[in-house]
Amino acid sequence: FNGRRNGWPLNAILTPDLEVLHVTTYIPPTFNYGTDGLDTLLDKYVNIFNDKKELEKLISKNKKSILKKDIFIVKNTKNIEQQYIDEMSKVYDNGFKGFFKRPRFPHAANLELLYDIYDLTKNKLAIKMVYEPLTAMAKGGIYDQIEGAFYRYSVQPDWMIPHFEKMLYTTAELVPLYARAYNDTKDELYKKVVVESLDQIEKRFMKNGLFYSASDADSNGKEGEYFIYKFDEAFNVLLSNGYTKDEAEYNLEYMDITSIGNFEEDLSNPHFNNNFEEDTKPKNINKTIKILKNMRKDKEYPFIDKKVITSWNAMMIKAYLIAGVIDTKYAKKGLSYLDKLLKKLYTDEKLYHFYIEGYAIKDEALLEDHAFLIDTLLYAYTINYDEKYLKLAKKLTKKSLKKFYKNKTWYLSDNILKSKANFNDRYYTSALGQMFENLITIANYNYDMELLYKTKKMIQNYKNQILSDISNHSSGIKSILRIEKGDIILKSNKNNLQQYKKNIQNIKYPFLYTKKENEKDFLACDESTCFGYSLEFNKIEKMINKHIID
């Protein structure tokens, strides 16, 4: 409510009636260097709480701030793809290959939209700003080079040293991008990231088909202690495994594990050294990585937060479904995990926010739980065309409109805090942007003209807010683009759709969806009519490509 973007951790001081008194990020335990600590802040607000006039004055002030009407400058959506490319190029780092400065987040939503724009326009700058960061991260320290999966962010622009916390949503949003990039380029590095990441998530975060939410950065009170190496220790272990001194030094230098270290003191976080060319990669580097992995067995893995959060699980499950382009086993696992998530957190037709083993499930789902679960259900439907997923997606969409959309405004929850939803995609995709996409998909799947009209009106009402910060509102921009360019729904019977699945995936139009119908031929439809049909896939493919160009 303070008009600023708040990070993690987020702290709020409330009255027993949940009136907001103060919101901020990290609060130190004690007052220090002119900064309030918990000791001084709590004293301050206890005094205010005991003074009824001061309390009412502060609550009234904060309510006005929370409920004030947002005003955004009117902007146009003309050539929105180029606008977006221009904005992203302004914040793109051509040296270290990433967006914005420090701390450097992966910005998966930005990468996804740039990829979509490339498929629409073939703009080379757009795809450059996708593949370069994907490659840099895959070789960098933000990726766990020894076990797989991504850390939350890099503390510096060079991707070398991360904050060693692993969040489920980070890997969940990046895996689909790497799978998509591998499908298009056949670059083995991208495939390696997908396979290693999913294996690591299963090993560390999964239990009974559900995924824990995060792991800490530190163990034994030390930042990154589990993940980092001392040169002398690693060097001696390699020697004991039959390496010569030169081989050991060369392999460790390749991983940037050095005597001076790249982290704190003489400690190093492994990443592929940028001074090495691909053809100078040590021949036994994979063996080296296995040895380094084995060295971690004597260390304590960081604390794992065992909350099973609906939204983050849905995101991770979708990553498995999308990774089916690399190996169908991932899609099969994804469907199994989805069914388990629904069994645990969707009961008596009510969706819940999270689950902790041994505790009763109490908290009802938020907007983001609905948004990301609906998205995953819609994608799951296209894996095996099981109508139960599409039906549930429609049901949850209807509930979402009722619970979170009030007086032409979307809220993050339907409780008394009345927190407005926004389009900020900095940490992970905006729930509101995702919900807009869901509404478009549901409307076009069912030729629901009333819902489509309502969604278009919503997007129009939010347009200036979306355009107020183009580089941080990627999912909102995508919803504008979908309305402008139009969806294409390819319909046919289940056998046809599954037989030509890879061919369909290779049609480079980001807003192409498939739906099962009891038809012998293929039907290609837009939001208002079916513009082509044929018994032969190659003919319908030509009709779709012509429609896209026209």
Side-chain angles (χ1 to χ4, degrees):
F1 71 85
N2 53 16
R4 301 193 307 271
R5 179 184 294 134
N6 282 301
W8 179 266
L10 182 63
N11 290 286
I13 298 175
L14 312 176
T15 70
D17 297 325
L18 301 182
E19 298 288 1
V20 180
L21 300 181
H22 182 78
V23 175
T24 190
T25 51
Y26 174 70
I27 306 173
T30 58
F31 179 88
N32 197 11
Y33 297 107
T35 301
D36 278 322
L38 278 172
D39 54 350
T40 52
L41 270 179
L42 292 178
D43 272 350
K44 173 183 175 181
Y45 285 105
V46 165
N47 291 332
I48 291 174
F49 183 75
N50 290 327
D51 185 329
K52 287 188 177 180
K53 283 187 178 180
E54 281 298 309
L55 181 64
E56 287 176 8
K57 186 178 176 181
L58 179 60
I59 289 172
S60 176
K61 178 185 173 184
N62 288 342
K63 274 187 175 178
K64 285 179 182 177
S65 179
I66 293 168
L67 298 174
K68 71 179 179 182
K69 189 172 181 180
D70 298 316
I71 299 173
F72 300 99
I73 297 170
V74 176
K75 295 186 177 181
N76 68 71
T77 57
K78 187 178 180 182
N79 202 0
I80 190 67
E81 304 102 300
Q82 191 59 50
Q83 280 192 59
Y84 188 77
I85 292 169
D86 291 345
E87 288 298 316
M88 294 312 300
S89 66
K90 289 176 186 176
V91 294
Y92 186 67
D93 180 348
N94 277 295
F96 293 122
K97 317 303 182 188
F99 300 107
F100 305 99
K101 295 182 181 178
R102 51 177 294 190
R104 176 153 284 172
F105 285 85
H107 294 284
N110 298 79
L111 294 171
E112 181 182 331
L113 182 54
L114 283 168
Y115 215 142
D116 288 345
I117 288 173
Y118 172 72
D119 281 346
L120 287 168
T121 66
K122 303 305 176 202
N123 184 293
K124 290 182 180 180
L125 178 56
I127 202 63
K128 164 185 154 73
M129 292 190 291
V130 175
Y131 289 157
E132 285 185 350
L134 288 181
T135 300
M137 286 189 287
K139 292 181 176 181
I142 192 173
Y143 181 69
D144 185 348
Q145 299 293 345
I146 308 305
E147 295 183 63
F150 289 88
Y151 304 111
R152 189 168 180 237
Y153 61 83
S154 173
V155 297
Q156 297 285 359
D158 58 13
W159 298 117
M160 188 187 300
I161 304 300
H163 177 49
F164 290 92
E165 182 181 31
K166 286 185 177 180
M167 307 298 294
L168 184 65
Y169 60 73
T170 308
T171 297
E173 289 209 299
L174 287 173
V175 162
L177 283 161
Y178 281 96
R180 182 175 178 180
Y182 173 73
N183 190 53
D184 288 344
T185 66
K186 298 300 180 282
D187 187 328
E188 288 295 321
L189 176 64
Y190 297 153
K191 180 180 179 180
K192 174 178 172 287
V193 167
V194 172
V195 172
E196 289 178 349
S197 295
L198 295 182
D199 287 350
Q200 176 66 185
I201 290 295
E202 283 192 2
K203 179 181 177 182
R204 296 292 185 189
F205 282 65
M206 191 182 77
K207 184 176 180 181
N208 299 325
L210 300 174
F211 298 98
Y212 297 142
S213 60
S215 61
D216 276 2
D218 62 310
S219 46
N220 296 319
K222 297 177 182 177
E223 168 85 11
E225 197 272 341
Y226 175 83
F227 303 103
I228 53 183
Y229 294 86
K230 279 194 174 184
F231 174 82
D232 290 345
E233 291 177 0
F235 181 74
N236 288 329
V237 171
L238 290 185
L239 292 182
S240 68
N241 277 270
Y243 286 62
T244 67
K245 287 184 177 180
D246 286 345
E247 285 175 334
E249 287 179 354
Y250 192 67
N251 274 264
L252 292 177
E253 186 183 358
Y254 183 78
M255 299 298 296
D256 200 29
I257 299 173
T258 65
S259 56
I260 59 173
N262 61 27
F263 180 46
E264 294 175 350
E265 300 173 350
D266 57 350
L267 299 167
S268 296
N269 176 50
H271 69 95
F272 293 123
N273 195 321
N274 292 329
N275 294 322
F276 283 74
E277 298 296 332
E278 186 64 28
D279 58 2
T280 61
K281 180 190 292 187
K283 292 179 181 178
N284 50 356
I285 190 64
N286 290 333
K287 179 184 175 183
T288 302
I289 290 172
K290 286 180 182 177
I291 293 169
L292 292 171
K293 184 177 181 180
N294 195 55
M295 287 180 65
R296 288 181 174 179
K297 289 182 178 178
D298 296 329
K299 296 182 178 182
E300 179 186 347
Y301 192 80
F303 169 79
I304 295 175
D305 184 342
K306 295 185 177 179
K307 286 195 300 295
V308 174
I309 299 173
T310 298
S311 56
W312 298 1
N313 267 252
M315 294 162 78
M316 193 71 239
I317 290 165
K318 187 180 179 185
Y320 273 86
L321 298 175
I322 291 173
V325 300
I326 289 176
D327 192 324
T328 55
K329 73 177 183 181
Y330 294 124
K332 289 176 183 176
K333 284 183 177 183
L335 292 175
S336 170
Y337 300 155
L338 177 56
D339 291 341
K340 288 172 182 174
L341 179 66
L342 293 173
K343 185 176 181 181
K344 177 59 72 173
L345 283 155
Y346 182 67
T347 60
D348 299 322
E349 298 203 341
K350 187 177 286 188
L351 187 64
Y352 291 89
H353 176 48
F354 73 94
Y355 159 78
I356 302 176
E357 192 171 356
Y359 293 85
I361 301 174
K362 294 180 181 178
D363 294 349
E364 288 192 30
L366 308 174
L367 172 65
E368 76 165 42
D369 299 307
H370 285 78
F372 292 115
L373 180 56
I374 291 165
D375 177 50
T376 298
L377 288 165
L378 290 170
Y379 197 90
Y381 166 74
T382 67
I383 300 295
N384 62 2
Y385 299 100
D386 190 331
E387 291 289 336
K388 71 179 181 183
Y389 297 127
L390 187 55
K391 287 179 180 176
L392 183 54
K394 289 163 64 177
K395 184 181 288 188
L396 290 174
T397 299
K398 188 175 181 180
K399 284 189 175 181
S400 299
L401 284 162
K402 186 176 181 180
K403 285 171 69 71
F404 307 113
Y405 186 60
K406 297 170 183 178
N407 300 318
K408 297 182 180 180
T409 302
W410 281 92
Y411 293 91
L412 294 174
S413 66
D414 63 341
N415 58 32
I416 62 173
L417 289 178
K418 300 293 183 190
S419 183
K420 293 177 185 177
N422 61 44
F423 294 94
N424 193 338
D425 297 308
R426 187 180 181 196
Y427 305 117
Y428 60 92
T429 300
S430 152
L432 181 53
Q434 185 59 69
M435 183 55 77
F436 277 8
E437 281 217 73
N438 296 340
L439 292 170
I440 297 168
T441 305
I442 292 286
N444 284 331
Y445 262 149
N446 297 281
Y447 277 115
D448 188 337
M449 293 297 106
E450 183 180 349
L451 178 59
L452 186 61
Y453 174 77
K454 186 175 183 179
T455 303
K456 286 181 177 180
K457 200 167 182 180
M458 281 181 203
I459 293 171
Q460 182 63 28
N461 290 340
Y462 274 97
K463 185 185 76 172
N464 292 326
Q465 181 177 341
I466 294 169
L467 296 175
S468 68
D469 190 1
I470 287 177
S471 58
N472 281 307
H473 291 171
S474 302
S475 60
I477 298 291
K478 189 172 180 179
S479 66
I480 292 174
L481 259 181
R482 279 186 68 178
I483 292 298
E484 181 183 296
K485 300 296 180 182
D487 286 359
I488 294 174
I489 311 292
L490 178 60
K491 302 178 182 181
S492 193
N493 60 66
K494 181 177 177 179
N495 288 338
N496 275 346
L497 294 174
Q498 292 188 325
Q499 181 183 348
Y500 290 95
K501 190 177 188 71
K502 286 194 174 180
N503 303 75
I504 295 167
Q505 287 170 341
N506 288 327
I507 297 175
K508 298 306 176 188
Y509 187 68
F511 313 136
L512 173 67
Y513 301 87
T514 57
K515 188 183 181 192
K516 182 186 75 175
E517 296 279 4
N518 293 322
E519 300 284 349
K520 289 182 180 180
D521 52 3
F522 292 94
L523 281 80
C525 311
D526 57 25
E527 67 181 40
S528 58
T529 185
C530 289
F531 58 83
Y533 63 92
S534 176
L535 286 168
E536 298 176 41
F537 179 79
N538 65 331
K539 289 184 179 179
I540 202 72
E541 183 178 14
K542 288 178 182 177
M543 292 177 193
I544 290 172
N545 286 327
K546 184 178 183 300
H547 187 79
I548 292 168
I549 294 169
D550 293 344

